[in-house]
């Protein structure tokens, strides 16, 4: 696996886990300002899917 | 033309947030004087305008993505433009008005760009999936949130603020720029983080992919059959309006509580709103096919970025304390009179500008900054660039 691909997979996976972790740990905080990790997670999901589809 | 319709239509909705407390835009029970003509104005705005023109902008942003070349330099230019747009969005959101949409357009535009190599059919399919994911995520977050009574009570207090809370918000915006920050900064942060994560990200990215596919299929260039646009108009309005009206009826029957609205009303407005947006696009294309080419709307649309930010400057000057300080004192019908005046001023101004200059002032600044060189702005100095969708 090329280094760039590995970094992309690691970054996207970490962000998804981070967001999912926050969502599970404190759902009551989600409607409040500052759920940056949830946002990062969503961005990572969409970016990862787009990147994967283009590679296919 | 569509961009012109979008930017002018948006003001009819945004004027509520510029001129009154934030909660009053979606919750008609916040202000006690919402009766008669004022209630009718809110109802028509909520059903036909609120969020619908933002969706049209998402679709048009996607169409613009489809025009871009596949080269490395085009990619670099796109992301430079996105970064600049995001920067302007941050300044706009935190510095003037918390309802900024540029930051969301920038984030979603960066993501949608990654899907540009797909066929129109696949873009359409993924666009619908991503748009649908927004609804599923919203439902999941809502259900989980409902199991935390303290969080629900706190959010309900913001959704239906007390007279004291309303007076505080009014006092902030009637104050100076720094006093306004007490409300604007947290509201902008919420809009740029949690609201974007749970909804806007999926909604706009999905719509951009749909827009890119529709543009490539010729739907946004009035190049398809009258029958198709007729169907878009009839199905869009015919299905979307009853869905949103049912949501309003349901929310009224349940006392407009946030817990109920989040689960039912917001979802119905999400799907119904997308249909109404398609109805607007179908109607505009239908009219274009029958020779409707209003130069005024074209001119407004060609400088949509300038006109959008100009609306904020005008409205914050009218309503906020650093200007006339009319925040919280203008009825819905008076708001519409102000909207009409701004529409006339922007249409006349855009028409005049387009006769003299190639690009709107902020469009020129953004494009020059993106390309790293000073582009010609005078109409006589260079040929007119091609016009994008609509």
């Amino acid at each position: 696996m090329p280094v760039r691909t590995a970094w992309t997979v690691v970054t996207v996976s970490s962000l998804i886990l981070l967001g999912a972790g926050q969502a599970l740990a404190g759902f009551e905080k989600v409607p409040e300002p500052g759920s940056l990790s949830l946002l990062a997670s969503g961005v990572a999901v969409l970016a990862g899917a787009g990147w994967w589809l283009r590679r296919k | 033309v569509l961009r012109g319709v979008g930017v002018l239509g948006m003001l009819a909705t945004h004027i509520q947030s510029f001129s009154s407390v934030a909660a009053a835009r979606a919750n008609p029970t916040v202000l006690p004087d919402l009766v008669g003509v004022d209630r009718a104005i809110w109802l028509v705005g909520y059903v036909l305008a609120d969020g619908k023109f933002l969706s049209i902008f998402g679709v048009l942003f996607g169409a613009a993505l489809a025009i871009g070349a596949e080269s490395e330099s085009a990619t670099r230019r796109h992301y430079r433009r996105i970064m600049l747009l995001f920067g302007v969005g941050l300044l706009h959101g935190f510095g003037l008005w918390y309802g900024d949409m540029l930051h969301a357009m920038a984030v979603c535009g960066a993501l949608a760009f990654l899907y540009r190599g797909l066929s129109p059919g696949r873009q359409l399919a993924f666009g619908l999936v991503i748009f649908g994911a927004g609804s599923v995520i919203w439902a999941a977050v809502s259900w989980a949130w409902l199991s935390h009574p303290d969080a629900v009570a706190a959010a309900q207090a913001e959704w239906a603020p007390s007279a004291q809370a309303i007076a505080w918000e009014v006092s902030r915006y009637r104050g100076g720029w720094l006093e306004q920050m007490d409300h604007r900064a947290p509201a902008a942060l919420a809009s740029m983080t949690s609201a974007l994560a749970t909804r806007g990200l999926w909604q706009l990215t999905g719509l951009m992919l749909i827009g890119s596919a529709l543009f490539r299929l010729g739907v946004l260039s009035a190049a398809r059959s009258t029958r198709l646009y007729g169907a878009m108009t009839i199905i869009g309005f015919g299905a979307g309006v009853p869905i949103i009206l049912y949501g309003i009826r349901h929310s009224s029957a349940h006392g407009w509580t946030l817990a109920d609205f989040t689960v039912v009303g917001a979802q119905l407005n999400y799907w119904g709103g997308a249909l109404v947006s398609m109805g607007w696009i179908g109607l505009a294309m239908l009219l274009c096919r029958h020779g409707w080419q209003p130069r005024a709307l074209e001119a407004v649309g060609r400088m949509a970025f300038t006109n959008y930010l100009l609306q904020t400057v005008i409205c914050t000057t009218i309503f906020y304390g650093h200007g006339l300080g009319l925040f919280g004192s203008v009825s819905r019908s008076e708001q519409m009179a102000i909207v009409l005046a701004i529409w006339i001023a922007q249409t006349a101004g855009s028409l005049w500008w387009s006769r003299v200059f190639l690009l709107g002032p902020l469009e020129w600044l953004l494009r020059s900054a993106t390309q790293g060189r000073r582009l010609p702005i005078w109409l006589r100095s260079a040929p007119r660039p091609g016009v994008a969708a609509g």
Side-chain angles (χ1 to χ4, degrees):
Chain A
M1 186 186 280
V3 176
R4 201 170 155 185
T5 306
W7 270 115
T8 308
V9 171
V10 167
T11 309
V12 167
S13 311
S14 307
L15 287 171
I16 292 169
L17 287 173
L18 189 69
Q22 189 205 344
L24 287 172
F27 248 133
E28 77 274 20
K29 293 206 183 309
V30 168
E32 298 297 320
S35 41
L36 261 176
S37 54
L38 191 68
L39 177 61
S41 178
V43 169
V45 168
L46 290 173
W51 169 80
W52 180 72
L53 283 167
R54 272 177 73 82
R55 275 177 61 89
K56 269 180 77 181
Chain B
V1 171
L2 256 182
R3 206 173 279 134
V5 171
V7 78
L8 292 182
M10 266 181 177
L11 181 63
T13 299
H14 293 166
I15 189 88
Q16 299 175 74
S17 310
F18 285 126
S19 66
S20 189
V21 290
R25 179 166 155 185
N27 183 355
T29 63
V30 169
L31 301 175
D33 56 349
L34 196 64
V35 289
V37 177
D38 285 342
R39 188 169 176 84
I41 289 171
W42 175 84
L43 186 68
V44 171
Y46 186 83
V47 173
L48 294 177
D50 203 340
K52 286 73 183 175
F53 295 110
L54 174 69
S55 299
I56 292 175
F57 260 85
V59 167
L60 292 177
F61 203 101
L65 293 181
I67 297 165
E70 273 280 347
S71 68
E72 202 172 305
S73 64
T75 303
R76 216 176 297 127
R77 239 188 349 261
H78 172 74
Y79 281 108
R80 207 180 298 151
R81 180 166 163 257
I82 287 290
M83 293 291 282
L84 287 166
L85 205 59
F86 187 71
V88 174
L90 286 182
L91 287 174
H92 179 228
F94 283 98
L96 279 175
W97 181 53
Y98 58 84
D100 169 73
M101 67 159 192
L102 299 175
H103 71 280
M105 288 288 173
V107 171
C108 300
L111 292 168
F113 193 71
L114 295 169
Y115 296 75
R116 72 195 181 285
L118 305 183
S119 66
R122 291 187 87 192
Q123 275 189 336
L124 194 60
F126 280 107
L128 287 169
V129 167
I130 293 170
F131 185 85
S135 175
V136 173
I137 288 167
W138 181 258
V141 169
S142 304
W143 282 110
W145 169 74
L146 284 171
S147 62
H148 294 83
D150 291 350
V152 174
Q156 175 66 27
E158 284 186 26
W159 168 253
S162 63
Q164 199 182 0
I166 291 173
W168 176 81
E169 194 175 328
V170 170
S171 75
R172 294 301 90 187
Y173 284 108
R174 284 190 187 168
W177 185 79
L178 276 177
E179 283 173 274
Q180 295 161 23
M181 287 303 256
D182 291 344
H183 181 272
R184 183 167 49 227
L189 183 64
S191 164
M192 292 181 190
T193 53
S194 46
L196 190 58
T198 51
R199 196 159 180 165
L201 186 69
W202 312 91
Q203 182 183 19
L204 278 178
T205 307
L207 287 170
M208 283 180 188
L209 290 185
I210 292 168
S212 179
L214 292 181
F215 178 77
R216 290 166 71 191
L217 294 169
V219 176
L220 299 179
S221 321
R224 301 301 291 258
S225 68
T226 301
R227 206 171 161 178
L228 175 77
Y229 297 122
M232 278 174 75
T233 310
I234 292 167
I235 295 170
F237 288 117
V241 170
I243 288 172
I244 299 170
L245 283 175
Y246 177 76
I248 293 172
R249 199 174 154 211
H250 180 91
S251 295
S252 299
H254 290 78
W256 283 94
T257 59
L258 180 60
D260 176 74
F261 178 79
T262 304
V263 174
V264 182
Q267 289 281 4
L268 291 174
N269 196 33
Y270 187 79
W271 289 99
L275 286 167
V276 169
S277 304
M278 287 299 147
W280 279 120
I281 292 172
L283 184 63
M285 293 299 111
L286 204 58
L287 292 171
C288 286
R289 275 190 70 80
H290 286 85
W292 185 66
Q293 282 292 333
R295 285 185 53 236
L297 279 178
E298 277 179 19
V300 170
R302 216 173 284 134
M303 44 195 289
F305 183 46
T306 300
N307 279 321
Y308 171 71
L309 289 174
L310 190 61
Q311 286 172 358
T312 297
V313 172
I314 295 171
C315 288
T316 50
T317 306
I318 293 172
F319 296 110
Y320 289 6
H322 59 255
L324 299 176
L326 295 178
F327 191 86
S329 65
V330 177
S331 70
R332 291 289 210 287
S333 34
E334 288 164 341
Q335 288 171 19
M336 284 305 115
I338 294 170
V339 166
L340 201 62
I342 296 174
W343 280 355
I344 292 168
Q346 287 201 310
T347 306
S350 301
L351 264 176
W352 174 81
W353 188 276
S354 68
R355 285 194 194 112
V356 184
F357 299 103
L358 273 168
L359 298 164
L362 295 182
E363 282 78 5
W364 175 76
L365 263 178
L366 187 69
R367 283 199 198 181
S368 297
T370 302
Q371 296 188 24
R373 66 191 173 94
R374 198 174 149 171
L375 294 173
I377 188 168
W378 291 90
L379 195 57
R380 276 170 296 179
S381 61
R384 179 178 286 276
V387 180

